[in-house]
Amino acid sequence: MTVATYTVTGMTCGHCVSAVTEEVSAIPGVSGVEIDLSTGAVVVTSEHDLERTAVAAAVDEAGYRLV
Amino acid sequence: MTVATYTVTGMTCGHCVSAVTEEVSAIPGVSGVEIDLSTGAVVVTSEHDLERTAVAAAVDEAGYRLV
C-alpha cells in the first residue's frame, strides 16, 4: 500500500474535484483518492507506486494540471 | 418566444455552467440557455414567460443562487 500526495492546479469547485477523483481513481491499482480543493492537494492510495506520468495524464484528462 | 436574462452567483467553472444549463433547460417551455461565466448572466429563451420561482428553483437544484 502506497500513499502519495500530488498538487493539482485549476480546480475551483466540487465538480472539478469530482472530475479529478474520477480520472485518478481509474488508474490501475488506485484504491483511494482524497482531494482538498482549497490547497489542490490530491492524496492517492494505491497498491503499488504509481508512475507520475500516469497521474499527470489522468489529471490532464480531467482538464487540470499536475504541478 | 421570450428571452429573459437572469444573474446567478457561485459558478466558478465550466462544470458549474453545465450544471445550471442542464437544470434550467429542463424547465418546461425552455428552448435555449446561454451562460456567461464571467458575469453570471444566464440568458433563457422560452416559448412563454417563465415564473421567476421556477428559474430560481432550477438554479438552486444545480447548487447555485439566482439573484
Side-chain angles (χ1 to χ4, degrees):
Chain A
M1 183 85 89
T2 299
V3 178
T5 301
Y6 304 88
T7 301
V8 170
T9 58
M11 297 184 295
T12 57
C13 74
H15 298 115
C16 300
V17 169
S18 296
V20 172
T21 299
E22 184 177 337
E23 291 296 338
V24 175
S25 295
I27 299 171
V30 169
S31 58
V33 179
E34 293 293 326
I35 296 180
D36 182 330
L37 175 60
S38 64
T39 61
V42 178
V43 181
V44 182
T45 305
S46 55
E47 291 168 15
H48 50 77
D49 284 354
L50 299 174
E51 293 287 340
R52 184 181 163 85
T53 52
V55 179
V59 169
D60 183 73
E61 183 65 28
Y64 304 91
R65 203 165 69 85
L66 190 67
V67 292
Chain B
M1 184 84 91
T2 299
V3 178
T5 301
Y6 304 88
T7 300
V8 170
T9 58
M11 297 184 293
T12 57
C13 74
H15 298 116
C16 300
V17 169
S18 296
V20 173
T21 299
E22 185 177 336
E23 291 296 339
V24 175
S25 296
I27 299 171
V30 169
S31 57
V33 179
E34 293 294 326
I35 297 180
D36 183 330
L37 174 59
S38 64
T39 62
V42 178
V43 181
V44 182
T45 305
S46 55
E47 289 169 16
H48 49 76
D49 284 354
L50 299 174
E51 292 289 340
R52 183 182 164 84
T53 52
V55 179
V59 169
D60 184 73
E61 182 66 28
Y64 304 91
R65 203 166 70 85
L66 190 67
V67 293

